[in-house]
Amino acid sequence: MSEFFGSVWWLIVSLGVLVTFHEFGHYWVARRCGVKVLRFSIGFGKALWTRRGRDGVEYVIAAIPLGGYVKMLDEREGEVPPADIPRAFNRQSVWKRIAIVAAGPIANLMLCVGLFWAMFVIGRPDFAPVVGQATGLAASAGLSHGDTVLAVDDRATPTWSEAQLALIPAALDHRDIALKIRPYGRTDEVVRTLRLSKLPEHFDERRAVEVTGLTPRHALMPTVVGRVAPDTPAWGVLAEGDRITAIDGEPIESFDDIRPAVQKLGQRGGSAMVEVQRNGDRLAFELAPARMRAADGSYYWGLGLASTAPAEPSKDAVLRYGPVAAIPAAFRETAHQASELVAMIGRAFSGRVSVQNTVAGPITIARAANAYAQHGAAWYLSMLALLSLSLGILNLLPIPILDGGHLLYYLIELVKGSPVSERVMAAGQYIGLALIAGLMGLAFYNDIVNNLVR
């Protein structure tokens, strides 16, 4: 399946699941509160499939899969037969109306817990939280190659993704954090303080982990020789497939380490031993770098080596719990991610992070859904859980036409003892439509800039 069709498919599946659960929350509670439901629609626009149930509800799947709705009997939307007036939504007590409206976001929160539980039980394959390279602030904090990150602040990090997700908000807030580390080759644990308060005031938020100076082990380019240029120092000495392990006694962890090591050797003058692994054997060759000319006309010291095409590294860690242990873990993860999402919304409104990197449109969601699905069921479930959580929390924002806006009206009604006037509600509808239209426009703009322009 091509990336385009795969993205479209997984977008439809994801939104279908999330919207169905959200609307079912409204539907289920409305029925339990004695409200007559007229229509349960997944999607907007022209109906693609319609069926009327024995309960009289019209079930619809519509053409535009970007939402859905539950239509209930309401005197404000048309004439209601006298026998059905007690079943009209507007005739219910304020507490029943609050329960019906809040049921949609709550259903998404419950779905989030269930999806995280399933993810933990299946087990999400990942990379071990091992440092490949430490520079800048990470090096100043005392981190080095081979260190294992056990926890960031008080959050355990059994995988690199967990460490990364804990590092990002701290970097965005320029907040110093404590890292619990198991140093390379040791069994004890030490605490290092990463001084993120020293980060530049403005940096590319998409590189929040990279600017800390931490590079994970799995991101390092392997030190395997892909090509040897003719008439260079390495020609006839090193061969394709050789894995370089050291130059002049200095360990080489990444192909990116080779050039500075050779530069240093060239500036010093003379030759040095280049250690390699070839077909399981450890070999050493004496080589002296030569002065070479780059494509831009500058000169550098080199051996004439090129790297292999980077391969997808193998996952070497799994985030997994047993079925029972996964229950509290799912609740903890939902609570943690909810707090992080609320904090990110606060950063966006305060201007501390760019809305270009926080408001995603359907193109971004579709591509992410497809990418996560390609990594396996557990990864897709984790993404779907975060989307469900986002949908639930965003719907609780006090914006008219969203669930949170209706809840705000009902809270005002509880305080003043009477419903909000229709004039105020109409004004709120216009404001809400303008805000939602603005958010949708921003989301589509971000989609174009982030996916089509860059």
Side-chain angles (χ1 to χ4, degrees):
M1 187 181 295
S2 69
E3 181 181 357
F4 173 78
F5 289 108
S7 298
V8 171
W9 166 252
W10 287 111
L11 175 66
I12 293 174
V13 171
S14 301
L15 293 182
V17 171
L18 301 182
V19 170
T20 299
F21 267 82
H22 181 92
E23 300 305 333
F24 182 77
H26 293 310
Y27 167 85
W28 190 85
V29 175
R31 295 289 298 270
R32 296 305 176 278
C33 290
V35 175
K36 184 175 182 178
V37 177
L38 303 177
R39 180 180 299 160
F40 184 115
S41 178
I42 303 302
F44 300 109
K46 182 179 179 181
L48 301 178
W49 176 86
T50 302
R51 186 180 73 84
R52 187 171 295 277
R54 287 181 295 179
D55 53 5
V57 179
E58 183 184 23
Y59 298 92
V60 178
I61 296 179
I64 305 174
L66 299 179
Y69 62 93
V70 172
K71 184 177 181 180
M72 291 170 261
L73 191 68
D74 196 311
E75 291 177 288
R76 296 167 298 181
E77 297 181 1
E79 189 173 344
V80 176
D84 284 337
I85 286 178
R87 301 179 64 192
F89 175 80
N90 63 292
R91 289 298 183 106
Q92 308 306 308
S93 70
V94 66
W95 287 110
K96 284 187 176 181
R97 282 178 278 142
I98 288 175
I100 293 169
V101 171
I106 291 173
N108 282 123
L109 296 179
M110 293 172 62
L111 175 61
C112 177
V113 173
L115 291 170
F116 274 135
W117 177 86
M119 179 205 74
F120 286 133
V121 172
I122 293 172
R124 191 180 69 189
D126 207 327
F127 297 104
V130 179
V131 177
Q133 203 169 53
T135 59
L137 295 178
S140 300
L143 280 80
S144 60
H145 169 78
D147 291 350
T148 300
V149 182
L150 303 175
V152 176
D153 278 342
D154 295 326
R155 182 170 171 81
T157 55
T159 68
W160 176 254
S161 293
E162 298 298 301
Q164 183 173 252
L165 289 174
L167 285 167
I168 289 173
L172 295 176
D173 293 339
H174 292 73
R175 173 171 54 85
D176 294 345
I177 54 172
L179 304 183
K180 184 185 292 185
I181 301 295
R182 181 186 297 120
Y184 178 65
R186 290 163 49 179
T187 58
D188 60 318
E189 300 173 2
V190 299
V191 175
R192 309 288 191 203
T193 301
L194 194 56
R195 305 288 181 185
L196 299 181
S197 57
K198 295 183 179 180
L199 284 172
E201 183 177 353
H202 300 290
F203 60 84
D204 187 346
E205 295 152 5
R206 294 165 299 172
R207 300 175 56 246
V209 175
E210 187 177 338
V211 296
T212 67
L214 277 175
T215 302
R217 181 179 61 187
H218 64 268
L220 296 179
M221 185 178 293
T223 61
V224 178
V225 177
R227 184 176 63 84
V228 180
D231 302 322
T232 60
W235 179 253
V237 181
L238 301 182
E240 294 181 12
D242 286 352
R243 181 180 294 274
I244 299 175
T245 58
I247 295 178
D248 199 21
E250 293 292 328
I252 300 297
E253 307 293 347
S254 166
F255 205 90
D256 294 332
D257 295 337
I258 295 176
R259 183 160 187 168
V262 173
Q263 286 291 109
K264 181 179 178 181
L265 179 60
Q267 292 168 359
R268 188 196 69 188
S271 59
M273 301 304 294
V274 177
E275 301 173 35
V276 304
Q277 287 185 350
R278 178 185 297 173
N279 298 326
D281 297 326
R282 299 182 62 181
L283 307 173
F285 302 98
E286 188 172 3
L287 292 173
R291 194 77 166 158
M292 298 183 178
R293 187 172 183 175
D296 61 1
S298 61
Y299 287 90
Y300 67 97
W301 293 99
L303 296 175
L305 304 176
S307 65
T308 58
E312 179 71 24
S314 299
K315 304 261 192 325
D316 53 0
V318 178
L319 180 61
R320 178 185 285 127
Y321 294 97
V324 176
I327 296 174
F331 278 98
R332 286 195 305 269
E333 187 67 14
T334 299
H336 174 76
Q337 295 300 339
S339 67
E340 291 295 335
L341 178 58
V342 171
M344 187 62 73
I345 293 172
R347 294 185 190 100
F349 275 106
S350 66
R352 285 181 291 158
V353 297
S354 170
V355 292
Q356 185 172 321
N357 296 320
T358 54
V359 180
I363 297 176
T364 300
I365 295 172
R367 295 184 66 178
N370 184 52
Y372 275 74
Q374 302 311 310
H375 282 85
W379 277 99
Y380 177 70
L381 291 174
S382 68
M383 187 218 67
L384 199 59
L386 292 175
L387 284 179
S388 186
L389 180 64
S390 300
L391 179 61
I393 290 179
L394 292 177
N395 259 285
L396 288 173
L397 292 177
I399 298 175
I401 82 170
L402 293 182
D403 294 332
H406 292 292
L407 291 174
L408 177 62
Y409 290 149
Y410 301 148
L411 291 176
I412 294 174
E413 181 178 342
L414 283 173
V415 172
K416 67 191 290 282
S418 61
V420 175
S421 69
E422 290 194 12
R423 182 179 178 181
V424 171
M425 291 187 67
Q429 295 282 4
Y430 285 117
I431 294 172
L433 285 171
L435 289 172
I436 295 301
L439 284 173
M440 290 180 64
L442 177 62
F444 279 108
Y445 171 79
N446 288 345
D447 268 353
I448 293 171
V449 171
N450 294 332
N451 294 288
L452 302 180
V453 176
R454 290 179 179 172

